Amino acid sequence: MTNDEIFDKLSALMKEQLHNESLKVTKQTTFHDDLGIDSIALVEFIIRLEDELNLDIPDEDIEDIQTIGELVDYLELKLKS
């Protein structure tokens, strides 16, 4: 998957999880400040991502990720390996 394809997938999943199809998501969008996602909701989102992308994402890898773009870049690397 390309970086843009991963971004599109993440955006769609985030809109679905937050029940807001008109949500504006960019690579600079932060999970906490912009989307109001707490740590529990983020864990739920990551579990869903793992299922969708057939990946294992360790909790410690997610701790420092703050934006959609950072998660996209992380997933791009993870999917290549």
Side-chain angles (χ1 to χ4, degrees):
M1 288 178 94
T2 67
N3 194 281
D4 287 338
E5 290 170 333
I6 295 167
F7 173 75
D8 291 343
K9 179 90 166 161
L10 283 181
S11 296
L13 290 172
M14 186 58 62
K15 289 174 184 181
E16 189 176 312
Q17 179 166 336
L18 296 176
H19 307 290
N20 184 352
E21 290 302 317
S22 64
L23 184 68
K24 300 290 184 211
V25 178
T26 69
K27 289 186 178 178
Q28 291 76 36
T29 300
T30 63
F31 293 104
H32 180 69
D33 294 336
D34 295 328
L35 299 176
I37 294 177
D38 62 16
S39 58
I40 293 170
L42 184 57
V43 168
E44 290 172 354
F45 182 68
I46 296 303
I47 290 169
R48 181 146 184 228
L49 269 179
E50 289 175 323
D51 291 342
E52 289 279 333
L53 300 174
N54 198 27
L55 284 176
D56 181 42
I57 303 171
D59 292 341
E60 58 270 9
D61 287 358
I62 298 303
E63 291 174 0
D64 294 326
I65 293 177
Q66 301 295 315
T67 67
I68 296 283
E70 290 171 357
L71 183 55
V72 168
D73 292 343
Y74 169 82
L75 291 171
E76 184 178 29
L77 290 173
K78 193 89 165 144
L79 288 167
K80 287 181 180 176
S81 59

